Amino acid sequence: MKYIGMPMGMWALFAGSFQKQLTEVLGYDTDTAIAITKNAKPKYKAIIADLPEFEKADRFKMNIVNCAMIGAFVLSMPERPDVEWLTEYYAKSMMTKPMKWFCRKSGKSKFAEKDISGMKATAALKAADRNPYSWNMEFYEYPDGSGYEGRFTKCGICVLMKKLGLYDLTPALCRLDYTMSEAGGVTDFVRQYTLASGGPYCDCGYKKKGFVKPETEAGR
């Protein structure tokens, strides 16, 4: 994958936040946080360079780029964080004001025809059959009309975290699904399994906030 383009843009958008949270969440002093960030950038570029290009229709390129960034920062830290600390660090690093705005904007079109069509197209693409750093998913609409679920059987983040020797920390990245759903303001995120915790798949369920199932008309 080329660094120029999305990976470069994501570094520009988030590196400052990742550096700031090294101090605010993980307790590093300012000089150490600057040094970690300086060391993380070439690691990030190297991780990106070793990834294959994603298909144009693959919507998960941003996910793997984010994983490359957090991986580069962890590998540059003098001490390896545990899952609990990394969960807080990653969430606060990612949820900048622009990201919160993006989540709210995306939330406005959640469950729209375009959103549903996009999920179905992603399920049909099965990109991980050709790119191990992408995802395969199945799409299920809840029969009561309350929302839908993406059920992932292959996960690019799991593959990359294994390669980086950080697989035990993968649940910290999984938790961001809840955080982004909360920021969107229109869905309750529900999950039973993750591949990273040994589950048969990762289920990402989005239920409409305040959904009330319509009553069946009398006589039916």
Side-chain angles (χ1 to χ4, degrees), residues 195-217:
L195 292 168
S197 60
Y201 49 76
C202 296
D203 49 327
C204 295
Y206 297 90
K207 293 199 170 187
K208 301 171 184 175
K209 277 189 178 295
F211 175 80
V212 178
K213 185 176 181 179
E215 294 184 9
T216 304
E217 293 183 23

Side-chain angles (χ1 to χ4, degrees), residues 7 9-30 32-38 40-41 44 62-77 81 85-96 99 161 172-173 176:
M10 295 298 284
W11 181 269
L13 282 171
F14 290 102
S17 178
F18 274 67
Q19 179 177 310
K20 178 182 178 181
Q21 298 306 326
L22 286 169
T23 298
E24 295 196 359
V25 175
L26 299 183
Y28 289 106
D29 60 53
T30 301
T32 303
I34 292 171
I36 291 170
T37 306
K38 184 178 179 180
K41 189 170 185 179
Y44 173 67
M62 185 182 294
N63 299 56
I64 205 68
V65 169
N66 292 341
C67 179
M69 186 176 296
I70 185 63
F73 270 87
V74 172
L75 292 171
S76 301
M77 294 176 189
W85 280 110
L86 189 63
T87 299
E88 182 179 358
Y89 171 73
Y90 185 56
K92 289 187 174 179
S93 297
M94 289 299 299
M95 297 310 292
T96 60
M99 179 61 106
M161 291 293 276
L173 282 67
L176 193 68

